[in-house]
C-alpha cells in the first residue's frame, strides 16, 4: 500500500491563550490536489508551519512520504521532499531566474559559481514541467504570474514531491489563474501532491480533488470537491450561512472629491505616465491591475507620500499636489492598506493605542496635551464593537489578532472619522469569506453615507462587487473607464495583461 505523500496525525499546538491546532488529522495522497480552507486564525498557517518543520507541535506526528519528520526542522522536511510557495514571493528582483532558482544550492567547483550549469539545470526543470521561462531573464522584469512560476520551479528544483501553495491566486488575473490551474493539475498527474491554501472558493472547487475545512483549530469537514458547493463550504468555514451578496450601485453621486490631472511620477518601472482620474462623492471607483503597474505610485501620490514630477492633484476643492499626509488627513482623507501590520497598525501596541493613531485630538479625548484614559478607552470599545472585532478587548496587542480582525480594526478606525475620501489598497487580501462579507458591507455603507471611495485591487471579484466605475492601470497608464456592467472578468483580464480592448 502506497504511503500518503503527507500525513499529520493528532497535531496539537498551543500558544498563550490560544489553541491553534486541536488534534488535527490531515492526509494528502500522491497525485492529488488537496485544498485547505478556513477563516483567518483557523489554524491553517500553524498546521503548514508544522508540516514544513518551522514549528514543533505540542503533540502529534508528521510523516512525509512515509518518513517521520520529527523535530529536525525545515532542512529535514526539504530533504524528505516537501516545499512551499509562499504568498509573498521569496525572490531577489535583481537576480536572474536561474540565480533565484538555485540560490543556496549553486552548481560549481572550488567555490566558483557555474552560471551556465545553473541555466541548463533550470531550463531542463522548466521544460520537464511545461513552464515557459527564460533562465537569463531578470526576475524584477517579470510579471507576477511569471514570478510565481519561478517560485514553483525553485521548489521543484529541490526535488519536492509535496508542494504547498499559500494563496497562490491572490495577485493573478483570470488568464493567469487558469494557467496555474493547468500547471497544478499537470503536477498532480505526474504524481506530485499539492496542498492548495486559498480563501477563493470558486478556485478551490475548480482545482481540488479533496477539501479540508478548519475552524477554531479543528477539522470540521473533509470532503470530495465535486460534492462541495460554495454555500456549504462558506457555512462550514464560518459556522453560519452567509447572506447572499446584494450590491446596490451608487444612488446619489455628487461633485468631485479627488481629481488627478496628467499625474506623472519619478522613475521608470511602476511610475505613473500621465494619469487623469476623478472620484466623486457617493461613488466607488475601482482601479484594477496586475501589481507593479503603478498601483503603489498612484496610492503614494494620492496620500501625499510622494510628490508628482508633473501634473496636479485636487482634494476637497483644494490643490494638494505639494501638501503632505497630515494636511490631507486633516481635510478628510482616510486609508486602508493590505499591509495591515506594516502600514495600518503597530503590532506591539494595544488596540486602544492603535485606534488613537491618526485620530484628531478633541476635548473628549484629551485636554491641553493630556489624554483622558477613560474617554479614549470608551471610544476604542465603541469602534471595536462597530467593527465586529473578536475578541473586542481594547487592551489586547494588535499582533495577537487574526488578519481579518486586524483589517477590521484598521477600517473601523478610518471610518470613525467620517472621511470625505476613503482610499483602499487591496483591503481584503488574505481575509476569509466571513471577514470579506463584513468589510465589503462597511465600504458600501461609507459610500452610501457620501464618501468618495478609491479602490485599488487586483481581485476582480472584489472590483466587480463594489465598484460603480472601473479603470485598469497598465504600464503606469489608465485604460477605461468602463461601466461596471461592461467590465467582465475576461475583458478586465485582457486589459490588465496589456492587450487591446475588445468589447
Amino acid at each position: 500500500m502506497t504511503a500518503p505523500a503527507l500525513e499529520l496525525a493528532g497535531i496539537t499546538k498551543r500558544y498563550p491563550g490560544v489553541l491553534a491546532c486541536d488534534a488535527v488529522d490531515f492526509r494528502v495522497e500522491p497525485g492529488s490536489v488537496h485544498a485547505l480552507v478556513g477563516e483567518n486564525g483557523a489554524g491553517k498557517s500553524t498546521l503548514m508551519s508544522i508540516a514544513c518543520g518551522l514549528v514543533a507541535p505540542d503533540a502529534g506526528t508528521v510523516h512525509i512520504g512515509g518518513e517521520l519528520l520529527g523535530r529536525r526542522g525545515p532542512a529535514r522536511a526539504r530533504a524528505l521532499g516537501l516545499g512551499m510557495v509562499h504568498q509573498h514571493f521569496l525572490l531577489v528582483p535583481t537576480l536572474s531566474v536561474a540565480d533565484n532558482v538555485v540560490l543556496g544550492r549553486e552548481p560549481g567547483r572550488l567555490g566558483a559559481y557555474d552560471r551556465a550549469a545553473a541555466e541548463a539545470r533550470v531550463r531542463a526543470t522548466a521544460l520537464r514541467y511545461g513552464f515557459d521561462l527564460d533562465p537569463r531573464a531578470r526576475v524584477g522584469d517579470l510579471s507576477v504570474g511569471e514570478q510565481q512560476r519561478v517560485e514553483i520551479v525553485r521548489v521543484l528544483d529541490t526535488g519536492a514531491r509535496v508542494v504547498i501553495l499559500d494563496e497562490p491566486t491572490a495577485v493573478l488575473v483570470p488568464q493567469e489563474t487558469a494557467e496555474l490551474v493547468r500547471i497544478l493539475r499537470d503536477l498532480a498527474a505526474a504524481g506530485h501532491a499539492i496542498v492548495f491554501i486559498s480563501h477563493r472558493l470558486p478556485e478551490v472547487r475548480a482545482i481540488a480533488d479533496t477539501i479540508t475545512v478548519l475552524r477554531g483549530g479543528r477539522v470540521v469537514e473533509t470532503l470530495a470537491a465535486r460534492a462541495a458547493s460554495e454555500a456549504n463550504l462558506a457555512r462550514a468555514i464560518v459556522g453560519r450561512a452567509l447572506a447572499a451578496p446584494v450590491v446596490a450601485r451608487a444612488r446619489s453621486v455628487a461633485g468631485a472629491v479627488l481629481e488627478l490631472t496628467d499625474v506623472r511620477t519619478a522613475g521608470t518601472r511602476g511610475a505613473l505616465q500621465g494619469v487623469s482620474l476623478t472620484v466623486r462623492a457617493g461613488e466607488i471607483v475601482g482601479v484594477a491591475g496586475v501589481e507593479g503597474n503603478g498601483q503603489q505610485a498612484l496610492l503614494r501620490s494620492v496620500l501625499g507620500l510622494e510628490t508628482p514630477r508633473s501634473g496636479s492633484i485636487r482634494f476637497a476643492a483644494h490643490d494638494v499636489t505639494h501638501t503632505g499626509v497630515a494636511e490631507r488627513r486633516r481635510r478628510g482623507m482616510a486609508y486602508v492598506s493590505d499591509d495591515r501590520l506594516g502600514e495600518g497598525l503597530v503590532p506591539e501596541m494595544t488596540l486602544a493605542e492603535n485606534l488613537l493613531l491618526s485620530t484628531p485630538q478633541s476635548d473628549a479625548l484629551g485636554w491641553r496635551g493630556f489624554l483622558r484614559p477613560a474617554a479614549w478607552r470608551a471610544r476604542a470599545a465603541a469602534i471595536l464593537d462597530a467593527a465586529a472585532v473578536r475578541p473586542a478587548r481594547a487592551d489586547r496587542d494588535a499582533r495577537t489578532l487574526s488578519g481579518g480582525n486586524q483589517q477590521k480594526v484598521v477600517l473601523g478606525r478610518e471610518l470613525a472619522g467620517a472621511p470625505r475620501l476613503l482610499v483602499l489598497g487591496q483591503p481584503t487580501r488574505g481575509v476569509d469569506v466571513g471577514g470579506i462579507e463584513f468589510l465589503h458591507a462597511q465600504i458600501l455603507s461609507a459610500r452610501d453615507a457620501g464618501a468618495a471611495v478609491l479602490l485599488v485591487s487586483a481581485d476582480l471579484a472584489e472590483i466587480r462587487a463594489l465598484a460603480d466605475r472601473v479603470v485598469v492601470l497598465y504600464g503606469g497608464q489608465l485604460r477605461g473607464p468602463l461601466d461596471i456592467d461592461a467590465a467582465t472578468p475576461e475583458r478586465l483580464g485582457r486589459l490588465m495583461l496589456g492587450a487591446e480592448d475588445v468589447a
Side-chain angles (χ1 to χ4, degrees):
M1 185 175 178
T2 305
L6 174 66
E7 185 173 26
L8 295 92
I11 297 296
T12 297
K13 182 65 182 179
R14 291 180 176 83
Y15 294 104
V18 177
L19 180 57
C21 292
D22 185 5
V24 172
D25 294 327
F26 182 71
R27 176 183 175 125
V28 185
E29 301 296 337
S32 71
V33 179
H34 196 130
L36 182 63
V37 300
E39 289 186 284
N40 297 110
K44 304 185 302 295
S45 295
T46 299
L47 191 66
M48 290 301 99
S49 295
I50 290 170
C52 293
L54 295 168
V55 172
D58 298 327
T61 58
V62 178
H63 286 81
I64 302 172
E67 297 289 331
L68 180 66
L69 174 61
R71 295 179 177 267
R72 283 177 278 178
R76 168 71 171 169
R78 285 193 298 271
L80 292 176
L82 184 144
M84 184 165 181
V85 177
H86 296 268
Q87 179 179 351
H88 301 290
F89 301 152
L90 305 178
L91 300 173
V92 182
T94 55
L95 297 182
S96 71
V97 168
D99 292 342
N100 271 279
V101 170
V102 303
L103 192 62
R105 299 171 293 103
E106 297 88 345
R109 294 182 59 192
L110 302 176
Y113 174 38
D114 188 341
R115 177 168 278 107
E119 291 173 356
R121 190 171 102 195
V122 172
R123 188 176 292 109
T125 301
L127 288 174
R128 177 182 175 189
Y129 293 104
F131 291 88
D132 182 16
L133 285 176
D134 177 4
R136 297 183 179 182
R138 181 177 172 273
V139 161
D141 295 331
L142 301 181
S143 71
V144 174
E146 290 171 325
Q147 290 183 26
Q148 187 177 71
R149 286 173 221 154
V150 175
E151 281 277 22
I152 295 173
V153 169
R154 181 183 61 81
V155 168
L156 294 174
D157 188 66
T158 67
R161 301 293 295 174
V162 180
V163 181
I164 301 170
L165 297 104
D166 185 11
E167 295 286 350
T169 63
V171 294
L172 302 184
V173 301
Q175 290 87 339
E176 291 174 320
T177 296
E179 175 65 9
L180 177 65
V181 170
R182 181 197 65 78
I183 288 169
L184 297 183
R185 294 307 319 176
D186 286 350
L187 288 174
H192 289 77
I194 310 296
V195 179
F196 186 84
I197 305 171
S198 180
H199 291 302
R200 297 185 174 184
L201 300 187
E203 293 162 14
V204 166
R205 293 180 64 242
I207 193 172
D209 300 300
T210 307
I211 303 171
T212 290
V213 180
L214 284 182
R215 188 171 75 238
R218 296 180 178 179
V219 173
V220 295
E221 195 162 3
T222 295
L223 70 166
R226 63 180 178 273
S229 69
E230 285 184 45
N232 287 338
L233 280 175
R235 185 182 296 108
I237 289 169
V238 302
R240 60 179 174 83
L242 295 181
V246 178
V247 179
R249 300 302 173 190
R251 295 188 299 270
S252 177
V253 178
V257 173
L258 176 69
E259 297 174 275
L260 281 72
T261 304
D262 196 26
V263 171
R264 300 173 185 270
T265 56
T268 52
R269 183 174 175 82
L272 299 184
Q273 307 291 340
V275 166
S276 296
L277 179 66
T278 298
V279 186
R280 297 168 296 179
E283 74 166 349
I284 299 175
V285 174
V287 181
V290 177
E291 289 190 10
N293 279 278
Q295 289 91 333
Q296 287 304 309
L298 175 63
L299 290 170
R300 290 176 61 84
S301 297
V302 169
L303 295 168
L305 293 168
E306 180 175 347
T307 301
R309 180 166 53 86
S310 63
S312 66
I313 301 174
R314 291 182 63 81
F315 169 52
H318 291 81
D319 187 335
V320 295
T321 310
H322 299 286
T323 65
V325 176
E327 174 64 17
R328 299 186 198 199
R329 292 193 68 89
R330 189 184 69 78
R331 294 188 182 277
M333 186 178 294
Y335 175 51
V336 177
S337 164
D338 71 315
D339 187 4
R340 39 195 169 263
L341 289 182
E343 295 180 341
L345 300 168
V346 180
E348 295 77 17
M349 289 173 61
T350 67
L351 297 182
E353 291 165 339
N354 270 285
L355 290 169
L356 274 176
L357 300 176
S358 308
T359 302
Q361 291 219 358
S362 69
D363 290 340
L365 297 179
W367 181 73
R368 294 186 178 181
F370 292 94
L371 288 174
R372 294 176 175 173
W376 62 263
R377 288 195 187 104
R379 181 177 183 276
I383 293 175
L384 295 177
D385 183 63
V389 175
R390 299 292 181 267
R393 286 175 42 193
D395 60 344
R396 184 168 180 169
D397 287 353
R399 59 186 168 82
T400 65
L401 296 183
S402 69
N405 277 302
Q406 288 168 353
Q407 199 70 327
K408 287 180 182 180
V409 172
V410 176
L411 181 60
R413 181 188 66 205
E414 298 301 293
L415 292 181
R420 291 182 178 178
L421 174 67
L422 178 61
V423 182
L424 305 168
Q426 311 284 0
T428 61
R429 174 170 293 172
V431 177
D432 59 69
V433 289
I436 290 172
E437 177 193 45
F438 180 84
L439 293 170
H440 281 185
Q442 295 293 98
I443 292 165
L444 290 170
S445 293
R447 179 204 64 185
D448 293 342
V453 181
L454 178 64
L455 168 65
V456 178
S457 180
D459 185 342
L460 296 189
E462 179 164 77
I463 290 280
R464 299 188 75 249
L466 297 179
D468 301 299
R469 293 187 292 128
V470 60
V471 295
V472 172
L473 192 56
Y474 177 78
Q477 297 179 321
L478 288 184
R479 298 179 172 204
L482 299 175
D483 180 78
I484 195 63
D485 293 328
T488 64
E490 294 74 21
R491 188 177 183 187
L492 289 174
R494 288 194 299 269
L495 291 172
M496 290 165 71
L497 293 173
E500 293 299 320
D501 186 22
V502 179

